[in-house]
Each structure stands twice: as C-alpha cells, then as structure tokens.
C-alpha cells in the first residue's frame, strides 16, 4: 500500500506539529543525510526548459530508499494567478522497486528550502547575527524567516520586494509572530545593519539583486533565487570577493550563481563543512555566500521527515497506485470481465 499525503493532510500535520518544530526537525534530518553524503546516488537534476520556465526531476537513493521530486519553476506564473514553484514527491523501496510514499511537495519544498538555508547559515553566518535583509518576499519568504529565527534566533527583518503587495503580504502573515519587521525603501536600504542577506527573487534573467559594493565584509548571503541557467541574482564581483558554498558542485555550476564563473572557480560543498573536513566561516570579516539551488537529497530528507512524522497518525491515506494481481504474472486478471465486449469477443 502506498501512503499518500495530500495538501490538506500536510496542512493538518503542520497545524498539529507547529511550523517551527517542523523546521527544526527537518534541519536534523537534513544534517544527518548530509553527514552520509557519500552513500547517496547523486546526479544533477534533469531539467526540461521552455520559454517561461523549467520542469525538473530530482532523483536520489541511499541504497535502501529511492526518492524523487517533480518540481517546476515559472517566474511568469504569478502574473497569471499561478505559483512560481509547485511540486510533488515519491519515496520507493529499493529492494522491491515499489513506491511506498507519495506526497504533495509545494509546501514541503518551501519548508525544506528554508531548513536547508538555516542549516547552512548555522555554520556560515556571523555569530550573534540579529538582523536579516530579505530581498524578494514571495512564497518562500515567510518560511525562510521562520527557519532563521528557529535555528539562529534572527528576529529582525528588513524586507524589500519590487511588488509592494508582496511585502504587505509578508507583514500580514508573520507580523504578529514576534518579529521586528522594517519595510525598506529599496534593496540597498534593506541591507542597512543586516548581518545576513537572503535573496529569494524570481525572474528568468541574469539579474543583479546585489552588487558587490552594496555588501559589507563579514556578511552571510543566502542566495536562493538563482537556480536555473540564465537565472541569477548576484554580481560576479561579489562571488569573486566571497567564499562560496554549494550543495552539489556539478549541479550548481549549471544552475547556481557560479554559472557566471569559470568552471574551476573554487567552491566548498556544504556536507564537507558539516562533517568537519572543510571550514565554514573562519573569521568575522569573511564574506560567506550560500549559492543554493536545491538538491535531491534535501527533498529526500524532507520526505523522510514527513513520512516518519505522519506514521501512526491520520494525516495520510492509502493510495491505490500499484496494480497488484494475486498472481504476479497475471496482470490481465485485473481487467474487468466485460473489458473485451467492445472488441466484440
Ligand atoms: N534554491 C532553492 O532550493 C529554491 C527552492 C524554491 C524556490 N527557489 C527559487 O526562489 C525564488 C523565489 O521563489 P518563490 O516561490 O518565493 O517565488 P515568488 O514568485 O512567489 O516570489 C518572488 C518575489 O520576488 C520578487 N522580485 C522579483 N524581482 C525582484 C527584484 N529585482 N527585486 C526585489 N524583488 C523582486 C517578486 O515581486 C516576488 O514577490 C524563485 O526564483 C525560485 O525558483 C529556489
């Protein structure tokens, strides 16, 4: 039987568990999977590009469980009443090859992206950071804010978005949750006093959300919006100045900010920092950049966390997904007895 978690059940599970508790739990699952990084099958995601966006498949396996996510990225979508990013995902049993778990992943992706950003910031952001600038206040933004508060205690936000309604929405959604939120007049204004900068804009172009001269030494940049060929947020001079951390180099060279750099541009993979073989932040003046694109292992961790979270609850249903004849060689037996009538038999 395949367990299925639909949107309603994900919402109910979050309602019962609490979003910050979920973010913290998910960070734990992510850290444990990043620590067994070498075990996983890894491949850059399979992307199908079109004029307005991309549809991607993101597979991985730890040898026992296989997982993949289907996700789209269409920045134009919000102009037509649709979301930029939607997703669903699957876990399967490697031994039999049978799928065992299917879930919505639009909400789950926002949670896992925020949890991954916070996991990175724990080892890269300056100690005692208090203020985060957020450029782009669309779907991902509130999740990012909550994850940074949960993991790093950030409760001052300075927000900027070219769409004033998106900023009003953020203030409406999380303004009463104990954050101190300043709505900035422009991107530069948003950076004032911020030790951490999150860029989460959506535009299918090589944008310059941050120029090098806008950013002080010692800042941590959490860049999540540049995640596709031809879709970046940071000035190349900023990348040159900072130390860049990535999820999976092979994929990030295609999709991340570093697509602007030479193929041998030096980066550090986050799993190496987590397991202590590479340095995270090593001085207060260091400019650290997490060039996030989103990697399959993060979705695997999120699905695993959800599967364990809903086990023995009513937050999933059984999905009749796999045709299962009594005699495994007799698939035909599942056809209705009148199936041959149209053929006149
Ligand atoms: N790295 C990852 O793992 C990951 C995961 C999910 C989404 N993403 C990416 O993150 C980005 C944000 O996703 P979302 O779901 O929040 O999108 P969204 O469309 O809901 O929000 C994006 C916001 O950016 C704003 N914006 C666009 N250009 C801007 C600019 N120049 N300055 C300031 N604001 C600007 C828009 O007005 C909008 O409010 C997308 O590019 C998406 O592809 C990355």
């Amino acid at each position: 039987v395949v367990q299925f978690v639909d949107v309603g059940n994900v919402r109910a599970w979050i309602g019962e568990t609490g979003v910050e508790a979920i973010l913290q739990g998910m960070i734990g699952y992510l850290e444990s999977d990043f620590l067994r990084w070498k075990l996983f099958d890894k491949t850059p995601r399979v992307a199908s590009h079109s004029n307005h966006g991309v549809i991607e498949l993101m597979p991985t396996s730890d040898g026992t469980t296989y997982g993949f996510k289907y996700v789209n990225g269409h920045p134009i979508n919000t102009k037509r009443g649709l979301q930029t990013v939607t997703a669903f995902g699957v876990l399967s049993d490697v031994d039999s090859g049978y799928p065992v778990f299917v879930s919505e992943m639009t909400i789950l992706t926002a949670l896992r992206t925020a949890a991954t950003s916070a996991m990175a910031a724990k080892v890269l952001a300056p100690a005692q950071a208090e203020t985060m600038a957020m450029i782009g206040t669309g779907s991902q933004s509130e999740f990012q804010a909550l994850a940074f508060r949960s993991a790093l205690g950030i409760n001052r936000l300075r927000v900027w978005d070219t769409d004033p309604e998106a900023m009003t929405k953020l203030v409406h959604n999380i303004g009463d949750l104990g954050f101190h939120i300043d709505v900035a007049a422009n991107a530069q204004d948003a950076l004032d006093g911020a030790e951490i900068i999150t860029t989460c804009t959506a535009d299918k172009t090589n944008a310059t959300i941050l120029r090098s001269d806008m950013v002080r030494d010692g800042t941590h940049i959490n860049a999540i919006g540049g995640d596709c060929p031809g879709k970046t947020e940071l000035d190349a001079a900023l990348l040159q100045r900072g130390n860049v951390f990535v999820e999976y180099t092979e994929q990030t060279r295609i999709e991340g900010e570093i697509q602007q750099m030479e193929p041998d541009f030096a980066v550090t993979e986050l799993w190496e920092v987590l397991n202590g073989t590479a340095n995270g932040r090593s001085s207060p003046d260091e400019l650290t950049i997490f060039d996030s694109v989103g990697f399959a292992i993060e979705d695997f961790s999120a699905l695993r966390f959800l599967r364990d979270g809903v086990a023995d609850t009513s937050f999933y249903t059984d999905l009749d997904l796999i045709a299962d004849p009594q005699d495994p060689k007799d698939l035909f037996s599942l056809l209705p007895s009148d199936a041959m009538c149209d053929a006149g038999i």
Side-chain angles (χ1 to χ4, degrees), residues 19-234:
V19 65
E20 290 191 66
I22 286 176
L23 286 162
Q24 276 176 9
M26 213 177 259
I27 291 171
Y29 271 53
L30 282 162
E31 284 171 341
S32 72
D33 284 341
F34 270 59
L35 288 177
R36 50 191 198 116
W37 187 262
K38 287 188 178 166
L39 207 79
F40 284 91
D41 277 350
K42 291 175 284 295
T43 176
R45 61 187 154 195
V46 182
S48 175
H49 296 281
S50 54
N51 287 345
H52 293 315
V54 64
I55 294 176
E56 295 162 329
L57 294 177
M58 305 172 68
T60 190
S61 166
D62 69 358
T64 305
T65 305
Y66 170 94
F68 79 87
K69 179 170 84 172
Y70 167 106
V71 63
N72 78 294
H74 286 63
I76 195 176
N77 268 2
T78 53
K79 291 194 176 62
R80 39 191 190 188
L82 302 171
Q83 297 172 94
T84 299
V85 176
T86 66
F88 70 90
V90 176
L91 291 177
S92 302
D93 171 40
V94 168
D95 187 49
S96 66
Y98 274 32
V100 293
F101 189 79
V102 177
S103 177
E104 91 77 40
M105 285 195 82
T106 305
I107 298 172
L108 209 61
T109 292
L111 290 164
R112 81 78 155 116
T113 302
T116 306
S117 288
M119 173 179 76
K122 276 170 66 183
V123 289
L124 299 178
Q128 276 90 48
E130 287 175 359
T131 304
M132 176 158 79
M134 303 193 71
I135 319 280
T137 59
S139 284
Q140 309 302 318
S141 58
E142 295 90 350
F143 296 87
Q144 290 281 331
L146 289 168
F148 275 75
R149 181 165 75 181
S150 242
L152 290 101
I154 302 295
N155 59 12
R156 297 181 72 89
L157 305 175
R158 295 186 59 81
V159 301
W160 168 246
D161 193 296
T162 43
D163 173 10
E165 285 178 20
M167 294 191 279
T168 307
K169 176 223 58 168
L170 176 137
V171 173
H172 169 80
N173 282 341
I174 59 171
D176 291 338
L177 301 182
F179 287 103
H180 179 97
I181 305 175
D182 290 311
V183 172
N186 51 50
Q188 179 76 72
D189 182 34
L191 308 188
D192 194 19
E195 301 96 347
I196 300 175
I197 305 170
T198 287
T199 54
C200 50
T201 66
D203 202 353
K204 203 168 166 21
T205 185
N206 292 116
T208 306
I209 304 300
L210 294 179
R211 289 187 323 269
S212 183
D213 62 275
M214 293 166 77
V215 180
R216 282 180 294 132
D217 283 344
T219 305
H220 173 61
I221 300 175
N222 169 45
I224 72 159
D227 59 358
C228 231
K231 178 166 174 273
T232 55
E233 295 181 308
L234 306 183

Side-chain angles (χ1 to χ4, degrees), residues 219-259:
T219 305
H220 173 61
I221 300 175
N222 169 45
I224 72 159
D227 59 358
C228 231
K231 178 166 174 273
T232 55
E233 295 181 308
L234 306 183
D235 191 354
L238 193 53
L239 301 170
Q240 203 75 61
R241 215 179 104 204
N243 285 331
V244 178
F245 298 81
V246 302
E247 293 142 313
Y248 180 55
T249 310
E250 206 183 319
Q251 181 179 306
T252 311
R253 290 213 192 273
I254 300 168
E255 302 179 348
E257 297 301 330
I258 57 167
Q259 66 185 270

